[in-house]
Structures are given as structure tokens and as C-alpha cells.
Amino acid sequence: FLPPSPPAPSPSAFDAAQQYSSATIKVIGVGGGGSNAVNSMVEANITGVELWIVNTDAQAMATSPVNAERRLAIGDKLTRGLGAGGNPEIGQLAAQETRGMVEQALAGSDMVFVTAGMGGGTGSGAAPVIAGVAKAMGILTVGIVTMPFTFEGRRRYNQALEGVQELQRNVDTLIVIPNDRLLTNAGRDTPVGDAFRMADDILRQGVRGICDIITIPGLVNVDFADVRAVMADAGTSLMGIGRASGKSRAREAAIAAISSPLLELGIEKATGIVWNITGSRDDLTLHEVNEAAEVIYDMVDSNALIIFGAVIDASSYVEPGELSITIIATGFS
């Protein structure tokens, strides 16, 4: 006879063990674009991460679905909650004025995403300050930002460029997404409002693609230390996203991800790869994981450090019968 099975741990014991072993990840949406991205993460029910917004615009913050305790108003003395007026210098000074509150918000983090739409005052000016605080605290700091659409004008683009250069100096790795490249897959009749929502959504997808492989139990789980090994002091990173359904969905999604218009350079130049394959419940097979891996590994340098996760997602992130693959390629000079 088999010996009796030990009693199952109580839910509270399981939760405590899970809490003890999990990394603390915080997503900080800075300015209007970053806040919109985080708002969409709340609405998409992203779990396992703390979602924060930081802004100089009190009115915009008041309507956010983010928990009120995680809405950080910066520069109240300087801006009186009226925004940065499109001036990155005001955004920078506002963040510096509230530096102590930023440190309190970031305390206890293992990993911080600083996300923003670059070009405006708060995102371009405050995001580098907030990222610098996180990195100085020894936190793995990842910037993920968008560059303005061409139709937003040269001045906004130049401000975004300066903001990105400053942010680059204050993060472990920086993912820059040119909004114009999102239009590659958009129809000519795409409304302007939809274009901006696409930009917010791509920030959400990028953050979620990395977070899910750390926080969601899956077919293949990834330790936070593995992700840190690829992303710490990695410099410039690029992101590709692919989705597919049908019989050959794994191969097609992988091909779509590595040929994504968001990847300005081929992934064969990367020294590190983090990739995540997500399927709906009871749908993703190990054969499909292997099929996608073959496509990706054929493209990357044989010496590259590769971390991957396979996640079964029970939420509405992927449609039934659909696979999603997110690739983060790091270590570009």
C-alpha cells in the first residue's frame, strides 16, 4: 500500500509561500501617455504587479481607475496640479520636487517599469528622474516608451528624443517604440483617436509580455533572476509582437513577432532574448512551444542568452484559439 498523502497546505499557507517567493514588480506610468497605458492595464486585469501613475495633471489623475493610493501627484508647488504645459523642464523639476515621495512609492521593488509617451512635458521630463531614483535604489529598471507620430510635429519629436537620451542613462534597458511603425498594420482610414489608443496598448503589451512569464504559473516558468540576467545593464532593447490562430498558429505567430515592424534591427544582433508565448486556457501545447522556439532560435546568435516562458492565460488577453508571442531583444550597442 502507498503511504497516506500528506495533508494539502491550507490556502493561507500556499498564499504565504507564493508571496514569499514572488518578485515585487511595479509599473509606473508617467505623464498622459504612460498613465493611459497603466489605466488600460487595470482594465485588462493584469495581476501580480503594482500599477502606479505619476502626473502633474490632477484632473487627469482624478478619472483614473488606478487605486487612489497609487496615484502620485508630482510638483504640486510648481504646477499646482495644472500640468507641465508640454515643457520637459517643468516635468523634471516636478519630479525632483517630489523625489522623496517617489522613493517611498518604489520602496521594496525588485523590478520597475517606467512607461511613458515621450514628447510631452511630464513624460519626457519626469520619467528619467523616476527611473534614476529606481536604479539608484538597486532596482532592475526597464524603460518602455513611445516616440510621437510624425503628425504631432517636429518640436514634440525633438523633445521626445532628448527625453529618450536622458532616460537611457537612467535605466538598465530601454525599449523605444516609434509610433509611426504602428501605422504599418493600420488601415488608411484609422481615426486619430484609435492611433493613440494603439500606442497606449503597445506599451501595455510590452509590459505584460515580460511580467507574465515571471508572475503567472505556466507550462514553463521563469525565475526573476533569469530575467534580471538578460535585462540588467543591457542598454537598448527592441520588442516584437505576433499573434496567430489556426493549425500553424505557433509558427505564424513566431514569424510575425520576429518580423514585427517594431523591430528596427534583426534579432540576430541581440545578445539576450526574453520571449513569451501565451495561449488561452487548455489550448497551448508543448509541441507548439517547441515549434515557435525553432523559428526564433534559428534567427538568434548561438551565443545569445535566451529566457522564455509559456503561459496559459485565463483572461481575455488572448482570444480562444489564438496564440500571442512577445519578444524582447536586448544587448544592442
Side-chain angles (χ1 to χ4, degrees), residues 3 7 21 38 46-47 62 86-87 98 104 110 116 142 177 181 195 197 199 221 233 239 263 276 279 291:
S21 63
V38 169
I46 291 183
T47 59
N87 186 343
T98 327
Q104 289 178 18
D110 295 299
V142 178
I177 301 161
R181 287 180 171 262
R197 278 188 287 274
N221 292 322
D233 296 315
M239 180 175 70
L263 286 169
N276 175 26
E291 194 173 20

Short mmCIF file of all heavy atoms in Angstrom, two decimals, residues 3 7 21 38 46-47 62 86-87 98 104 110 116 142 177 181 195 197 199 221 233 239 263 276 279 291:
data_model
loop_
_atom_site.label_atom_id
_atom_site.label_comp_id
_atom_site.label_asym_id
_atom_site.label_seq_id
_atom_site.Cartn_x
_atom_site.Cartn_y
_atom_site.Cartn_z
N PRO A 3 1.85 4.95 1.16
CA PRO A 3 1.64 5.70 2.40
C PRO A 3 0.62 6.80 2.15
O PRO A 3 0.45 7.28 1.03
CB PRO A 3 3.03 6.27 2.72
CG PRO A 3 3.72 6.34 1.39
CD PRO A 3 3.20 5.16 0.62
N PRO A 7 -1.23 16.01 4.27
CA PRO A 7 -2.36 16.94 4.10
C PRO A 7 -1.97 18.10 3.19
O PRO A 7 -0.83 18.57 3.21
CB PRO A 7 -2.65 17.43 5.53
CG PRO A 7 -1.37 17.20 6.28
CD PRO A 7 -0.77 15.97 5.67
N SER A 21 7.98 33.94 -2.35
CA SER A 21 8.86 33.57 -3.44
C SER A 21 8.72 34.48 -4.66
O SER A 21 9.51 34.37 -5.58
CB SER A 21 8.58 32.12 -3.88
OG SER A 21 7.25 32.01 -4.37
N VAL A 38 -1.17 52.53 -18.27
CA VAL A 38 -1.42 51.86 -17.00
C VAL A 38 -2.93 51.72 -16.75
O VAL A 38 -3.39 50.69 -16.25
CB VAL A 38 -0.72 52.60 -15.84
CG1 VAL A 38 -1.20 52.08 -14.48
CG2 VAL A 38 0.78 52.44 -15.95
N ILE A 46 -4.48 42.97 -15.34
CA ILE A 46 -3.13 42.44 -15.16
C ILE A 46 -2.90 42.21 -13.66
O ILE A 46 -3.13 43.10 -12.84
CB ILE A 46 -2.08 43.42 -15.72
CG1 ILE A 46 -2.19 43.47 -17.25
CG2 ILE A 46 -0.68 43.01 -15.30
CD1 ILE A 46 -1.16 44.35 -17.91
N THR A 47 -2.46 41.01 -13.32
CA THR A 47 -2.27 40.65 -11.92
C THR A 47 -0.80 40.42 -11.62
O THR A 47 0.02 40.25 -12.51
CB THR A 47 -3.06 39.38 -11.56
OG1 THR A 47 -2.61 38.30 -12.41
CG2 THR A 47 -4.55 39.59 -11.75
N ALA A 62 -7.57 62.23 -11.56
CA ALA A 62 -8.81 62.02 -10.80
C ALA A 62 -9.74 61.02 -11.47
O ALA A 62 -10.54 60.36 -10.80
CB ALA A 62 -9.52 63.35 -10.60
N GLY A 86 3.52 70.99 -21.55
CA GLY A 86 4.35 70.50 -22.66
C GLY A 86 5.82 70.82 -22.52
O GLY A 86 6.60 70.66 -23.47
N ASN A 87 6.25 71.23 -21.32
CA ASN A 87 7.65 71.64 -21.09
C ASN A 87 8.37 70.58 -20.26
O ASN A 87 8.10 70.44 -19.06
CB ASN A 87 7.67 72.99 -20.37
CG ASN A 87 9.07 73.56 -20.21
OD1 ASN A 87 10.06 72.84 -20.34
ND2 ASN A 87 9.16 74.84 -19.92
N THR A 98 9.36 66.21 -5.80
CA THR A 98 8.62 65.15 -5.09
C THR A 98 9.47 63.88 -4.98
O THR A 98 8.92 62.79 -4.82
CB THR A 98 7.31 64.86 -5.84
OG1 THR A 98 6.81 66.05 -6.43
CG2 THR A 98 6.23 64.32 -4.91
N GLN A 104 9.50 56.56 -1.79
CA GLN A 104 8.56 55.78 -0.98
C GLN A 104 7.70 54.87 -1.86
O GLN A 104 7.45 53.71 -1.50
CB GLN A 104 7.65 56.73 -0.19
CG GLN A 104 8.35 57.46 0.94
CD GLN A 104 7.43 58.44 1.66
OE1 GLN A 104 6.21 58.34 1.55
NE2 GLN A 104 8.00 59.37 2.41
N ASP A 110 11.55 44.83 -6.68
CA ASP A 110 12.63 44.10 -7.33
C ASP A 110 12.83 44.57 -8.77
O ASP A 110 13.94 44.55 -9.30
CB ASP A 110 12.32 42.60 -7.34
CG ASP A 110 12.26 42.03 -5.93
OD1 ASP A 110 13.28 42.08 -5.23
OD2 ASP A 110 11.18 41.55 -5.53
N ALA A 116 6.08 55.61 -20.60
CA ALA A 116 5.64 56.96 -20.92
C ALA A 116 5.52 57.12 -22.43
O ALA A 116 6.16 56.40 -23.20
CB ALA A 116 6.62 58.00 -20.37
N VAL A 142 13.46 49.09 -16.08
CA VAL A 142 13.20 48.94 -17.51
C VAL A 142 12.35 50.10 -17.98
O VAL A 142 11.26 50.34 -17.44
CB VAL A 142 12.48 47.60 -17.81
CG1 VAL A 142 12.18 47.48 -19.30
CG2 VAL A 142 13.32 46.42 -17.34
N ILE A 177 9.56 52.50 -28.79
CA ILE A 177 8.61 52.09 -29.82
C ILE A 177 8.23 53.32 -30.66
O ILE A 177 7.58 54.24 -30.14
CB ILE A 177 7.35 51.48 -29.19
CG1 ILE A 177 7.72 50.26 -28.34
CG2 ILE A 177 6.33 51.10 -30.26
CD1 ILE A 177 6.67 49.86 -27.35
N ARG A 181 5.53 53.34 -36.67
CA ARG A 181 5.59 51.95 -37.11
C ARG A 181 4.31 51.19 -36.78
O ARG A 181 4.03 50.15 -37.39
CB ARG A 181 6.81 51.25 -36.50
CG ARG A 181 8.12 51.70 -37.14
CD ARG A 181 9.32 51.01 -36.55
NE ARG A 181 10.51 51.33 -37.33
CZ ARG A 181 11.02 50.56 -38.27
NH1 ARG A 181 10.45 49.39 -38.54
NH2 ARG A 181 12.09 50.91 -38.95
N ALA A 195 -5.41 55.69 -33.27
CA ALA A 195 -3.95 55.63 -33.39
C ALA A 195 -3.30 55.82 -32.02
O ALA A 195 -2.36 55.10 -31.65
CB ALA A 195 -3.45 56.69 -34.37
N ARG A 197 -4.72 55.23 -29.12
CA ARG A 197 -5.04 54.05 -28.31
C ARG A 197 -4.13 52.87 -28.66
O ARG A 197 -3.77 52.07 -27.79
CB ARG A 197 -6.52 53.68 -28.48
CG ARG A 197 -7.45 54.52 -27.60
CD ARG A 197 -8.88 54.02 -27.63
NE ARG A 197 -9.54 54.32 -28.89
CZ ARG A 197 -10.16 55.49 -29.15
NH1 ARG A 197 -10.18 56.43 -28.24
NH2 ARG A 197 -10.76 55.68 -30.31
N ALA A 199 -1.04 53.16 -29.53
CA ALA A 199 0.24 53.45 -28.87
C ALA A 199 0.18 53.09 -27.39
O ALA A 199 1.12 52.49 -26.84
CB ALA A 199 0.58 54.94 -29.04
N ASN A 221 7.96 28.02 -16.43
CA ASN A 221 8.09 29.17 -15.55
C ASN A 221 9.51 29.73 -15.58
O ASN A 221 10.48 29.01 -15.82
CB ASN A 221 7.73 28.78 -14.11
CG ASN A 221 6.25 28.45 -13.98
OD1 ASN A 221 5.41 29.10 -14.59
ND2 ASN A 221 5.94 27.45 -13.18
N ASP A 233 21.59 46.15 -17.07
CA ASP A 233 22.61 46.90 -17.82
C ASP A 233 22.69 46.46 -19.28
O ASP A 233 23.77 46.36 -19.86
CB ASP A 233 23.99 46.75 -17.15
CG ASP A 233 24.00 47.37 -15.76
OD1 ASP A 233 23.49 48.49 -15.60
OD2 ASP A 233 24.53 46.72 -14.83
N MET A 239 11.34 45.35 -29.26
CA MET A 239 10.23 44.46 -28.96
C MET A 239 9.48 44.10 -30.23
O MET A 239 9.25 44.94 -31.10
CB MET A 239 9.26 45.14 -27.98
CG MET A 239 8.06 44.28 -27.61
SD MET A 239 7.03 45.07 -26.35
CE MET A 239 6.34 46.42 -27.29
N LEU A 263 10.44 45.95 -34.62
CA LEU A 263 11.85 45.54 -34.54
C LEU A 263 12.63 46.26 -35.64
O LEU A 263 12.63 45.85 -36.80
CB LEU A 263 11.98 44.02 -34.70
CG LEU A 263 11.55 43.17 -33.50
CD1 LEU A 263 11.49 41.70 -33.89
CD2 LEU A 263 12.53 43.35 -32.33
N ASN A 276 8.02 35.25 -24.76
CA ASN A 276 6.90 34.68 -24.03
C ASN A 276 5.82 34.25 -25.03
O ASN A 276 5.48 35.01 -25.94
CB ASN A 276 6.34 35.76 -23.09
CG ASN A 276 5.09 35.30 -22.36
OD1 ASN A 276 4.88 34.11 -22.16
ND2 ASN A 276 4.26 36.25 -21.96
N GLY A 279 -1.12 31.30 -24.57
CA GLY A 279 -2.30 30.70 -25.19
C GLY A 279 -3.46 30.74 -24.23
O GLY A 279 -3.29 30.94 -23.02
N GLU A 291 7.66 24.39 -31.56
CA GLU A 291 7.59 24.86 -32.94
C GLU A 291 7.94 26.35 -33.04
O GLU A 291 8.69 26.77 -33.92
CB GLU A 291 6.17 24.62 -33.47
CG GLU A 291 6.03 24.75 -34.98
CD GLU A 291 4.65 24.35 -35.45
OE1 GLU A 291 3.71 24.33 -34.63
OE2 GLU A 291 4.50 24.06 -36.65
#
